Amino acid sequence: MNEILQASGIMDFDVAFEQRYARVWVGRNKKIVICELLTDYVPIEDFKDIFGVIGDLVKQGGFEKFIFDKRALRAFHQPTMEWYFIHWKREMLAHGVKTHRKILPAEKWFEKMVQVAKEQILAHHPNHIIDQLDIAYCDTIEEAILS
């Protein structure tokens, strides 16, 4: 991803942390956190741990946008998405992150699974916050940063 950021002319991002499943970048001047998944599947407890650390970064203040690069994924896990959507996004909204950009794997079935899961989550959780968020799907990191 560093090459992507360099090629985009966007150099003010630093690696906040990296571990087996994810690399997280922060651009304090742009008020952006980027999470790039590195494997085709992330167990839910590891996912929660990663997003707990990201949450700690956000709570330090100053961030407004979260970019989630899921292109490495090859498995879809509904309980993980539900936790991320219902709990983590709500907590991050309370700390100023209301803009979310997502980059999905190229496989169309993955996009369909996300849409079906989102519909189910919204139907089963009427107190959702989706109307308070700016969520969009992008094809590249550069597009996500600039949008």
Side-chain angles (χ1 to χ4, degrees), residues 30-61:
K30 295 195 177 299
K31 302 179 181 185
I32 298 173
V33 177
I34 302 170
C35 177
E36 173 190 17
L37 295 183
L38 303 173
T39 61
D40 59 359
Y41 175 73
V42 180
I44 190 168
E45 291 308 317
D46 294 294
F47 186 91
K48 287 179 176 181
D49 289 344
I50 293 163
F51 278 76
V53 176
I54 294 169
D56 291 342
L57 289 170
V58 168
K59 290 172 189 174
Q60 293 174 11

Side-chain angles (χ1 to χ4, degrees), residues 39-114:
T39 61
D40 59 359
Y41 175 73
V42 180
I44 190 168
E45 291 308 317
D46 294 294
F47 186 91
K48 287 179 176 181
D49 289 344
I50 293 163
F51 278 76
V53 176
I54 294 169
D56 291 342
L57 289 170
V58 168
K59 290 172 189 174
Q60 293 174 11
F63 295 105
E64 297 174 358
K65 181 189 279 188
F66 178 69
I67 298 171
F68 193 7
D69 183 349
K70 306 178 191 184
R71 288 179 284 188
L73 289 180
R74 296 295 173 262
F76 182 86
H77 188 245
Q78 173 76 18
T80 301
M81 182 177 173
E82 188 167 325
W83 176 84
Y84 164 74
F85 197 85
I86 295 299
H87 301 287
W88 190 81
K89 282 186 179 181
R90 179 180 298 278
E91 185 177 357
M92 295 307 100
L93 178 61
H95 292 281
V97 177
K98 54 186 165 188
T99 303
H100 293 261
R101 297 295 180 259
K102 300 176 185 191
I103 306 169
L104 298 178
E107 293 81 6
K108 288 297 176 193
W109 68 264
F110 197 95
E111 185 177 342
K112 183 65 175 167
M113 290 296 298
V114 168

Side-chain angles (χ1 to χ4, degrees), residues 135-146:
I135 301 173
Y137 294 90
C138 299
D139 294 324
T140 66
I141 293 289
E142 181 179 21
E143 178 187 354
I145 290 169
L146 298 174

